[in-house]
Amino acid sequence: MGILARQRIHLFLCVRMTNIRYLTGFSGSDAALLVSPDGVTFVTDGRYAEQSRREVRGAEIVISDGKWPEVARRIRAVTRRSAPGRAARIGFESRHLSVEIHRFLTRRAGDGWVALRDPVETLRMRKEESEIRAMEGAAIAASGALLEVLSAGVRGRTEKEVAADLERGMKMLGAEEPSFRAIVASGPRSALPHAEPTGSAIGRNEPVVFDFGARRRGYCSDETVSVLPARPSSPLRRMFDAVRRAQERGIRAIRPGVPCRDVDARVRESLDRSGYLKYFVHSTGHGVGMDIHERPSLSQRSRDRLAEGMVVTVEPGVYLPGVGGIRIEDMIRVTARGGDRVTYLPKQAPLIL
Ligand code: ZN
Ligand code: ZN
């Protein structure tokens, strides 16, 4: 409800499903939420009648075959009461409401629409204790699955087989699903930051990058481990140490009030000192929550500042074409004094397999 006063609107229409889940607890995939001075109305169809009764908190549940006509009817009713004789200001998520639905609602319910960029995403940046606990649970399922996969042995198996085992392992350890398709990239393919697992076998003397995460109670984990062969080449060893130092530098910079781009700058300075900056081709990190990538961004262009309760990744990487790549990623929770790891697999020394 606070959103109405903050955004100076009479009504707020929420359509992005992760935002609806955040506000109500509903985990299905089709609904709309209307926040008005009268209360919160959750509109869905018959497929979700039972599920919404079980999950939705703090809203009146309306089951309707025509979701959008129903939303339009309710907007009109509220408008008549709260802004009689003039157009009501109806806030909507400009990045998520389709042009088609926007036109339909304008025709049926008036045209006082106010585009809001990230109204709920802004609230979601700072996590409550229960949200952080869900992410810790997700991280435990994901890391546990990686340890199982590594102890069973990955050399000689294909990237695809290993990725499939990793994702299955997460579910067996209590995850609902992977939070994104796991990356298992070996040899020269590890130099591709977003490599898709292939049908190639993982060689004896190759580095392997595992970037993986699980979803638990709706919340994501995200972690990257770089595994080196028993006798790594000296460039790989040097790259590992440079990335590890850069990550530690970034994590040390985390505390409330610090501009996110400063964390990115510390990581870049560290990689510059090791001579690898030109091989760092992405930003330092991102917020994690119900979405795998959410605000704030830890990048050169970010305008956000860290605040207590945020959970962000710090994930520098160095990618040498033809040689291979190293990335190290942890999720860090911003505390009153600094940053604590949410992911827990050790990163100080490379895992040697
Ligand atoms: Zn990741
Ligand atoms: Zn990440």
Side-chain angles (χ1 to χ4, degrees):
M1 291 286 224
I3 198 162
L4 301 181
R6 235 188 343 272
Q7 305 281 358
R8 288 185 294 148
I9 49 180
H10 297 101
L11 278 161
F12 170 54
L13 171 64
C14 184
V15 297
R16 188 181 187 199
M17 290 314 303
T18 37
N19 288 341
I20 292 178
R21 182 167 187 173
Y22 178 78
L23 295 171
T24 68
F26 178 68
S27 68
S29 55
D30 198 352
L33 193 73
L34 204 54
V35 181
S36 80
D38 301 344
V40 183
T41 310
F42 172 92
V43 185
T44 189
D45 60 62
R47 290 172 300 166
Y48 293 110
E50 184 52 35
Q51 185 178 348
S52 51
R53 269 191 286 278
R54 269 188 284 119
E55 293 181 342
V56 172
R57 296 285 169 271
E60 176 202 357
I61 298 168
V62 176
I63 308 295
S64 168
D65 286 342
K67 184 175 66 177
W68 298 117
E70 181 69 30
V71 167
R73 203 176 61 70
R74 285 172 181 265
I75 291 175
R76 275 201 312 275
V78 176
T79 312
R80 257 183 244 123
R81 277 199 306 279
S82 59
R86 61 197 165 99
R89 288 170 56 81
I90 310 158
F92 70 102
E93 298 154 299
S94 56
R95 297 202 217 221
H96 301 288
L97 187 69
S98 76
V99 172
E100 201 171 293
I101 301 299
H102 184 260
R103 279 195 191 126
F104 173 83
L105 293 174
T106 303
R107 272 201 310 275
R108 296 265 184 119
D111 57 2
W113 294 85
V114 180
L116 304 175
R117 208 170 148 82
D118 286 323
V120 183
E121 287 79 355
T122 313
L123 305 176
R124 283 170 45 190
M125 284 202 283
R126 293 178 70 169
K127 272 73 182 174
E128 289 174 13
E129 206 50 47
S130 62
E131 299 180 275
I132 292 172
R133 272 201 298 276
M135 280 187 268
E136 283 169 348
I140 287 170
S143 310
L146 183 73
L147 292 176
E148 282 177 3
V149 163
L150 293 178
S151 61
V154 299
R155 305 263 173 224
R157 306 188 63 215
T158 70
E159 294 171 348
K160 271 188 177 167
E161 283 167 353
V162 171
D165 283 356
L166 179 56
E167 294 185 352
R168 181 174 182 278
M170 295 176 196
K171 289 190 190 170
M172 300 310 286
L173 292 173
E176 289 131 34
E177 58 181 353
S179 52
F180 60 95
R181 292 230 299 276
I183 293 172
V184 178
S186 62
R189 280 182 303 283
S190 60
L192 306 170
H194 270 190
E196 288 275 321
T198 67
S200 315
I202 299 173
R204 278 171 57 82
N205 289 309
E206 292 183 329
V208 193
V209 171
F210 293 90
D211 189 346
F212 61 101
R215 184 187 297 278
R216 200 159 179 187
R217 293 196 282 134
Y219 284 85
C220 299
S221 76
D222 188 8
E223 181 168 17
T224 304
V225 170
S226 287
V227 174
L228 293 186
R231 271 187 290 283
S233 65
S234 54
L236 274 179
R237 203 46 238 230
R238 274 202 304 275
M239 281 161 65
F240 184 92
D241 288 333
V243 173
R244 177 186 54 79
R245 275 197 303 272
Q247 198 216 18
E248 283 168 7
R249 188 65 197 86
I251 293 172
R252 271 208 311 279
I254 287 182
R255 78 183 67 83
V258 170
C260 293
R261 62 172 180 272
D262 286 8
V263 180
D264 182 82
R266 296 297 89 76
V267 165
R268 279 172 207 283
E269 285 160 12
S270 175
L271 287 172
D272 197 20
R273 277 196 295 276
S274 332
Y276 286 113
L277 182 58
K278 66 170 183 275
Y279 301 109
F280 177 38
V281 294
H282 49 76
S283 54
T284 291
H286 53 88
V288 187
M290 292 188 134
D291 288 312
I292 184 67
H293 293 132
E294 52 179 60
R295 280 180 60 195
S297 152
L298 271 58
S299 67
Q300 287 170 294
R301 287 186 308 279
S302 177
R303 294 164 68 180
D304 291 319
R305 268 174 198 274
L306 294 174
E308 193 176 349
M310 288 180 175
V311 175
V312 294
T313 68
V314 178
E315 51 178 306
V318 165
Y319 310 94
L320 274 183
V323 176
I326 299 285
R327 179 163 69 255
I328 304 176
E329 174 180 25
D330 279 299
M331 285 161 71
I332 310 293
R333 145 193 209 171
V334 184
T335 65
R337 297 144 166 254
D340 279 351
R341 277 190 168 78
V342 175
T343 38
Y344 69 94
L345 289 176
K347 310 289 191 311
Q348 297 86 344
L351 285 169
I352 304 276
L353 282 175

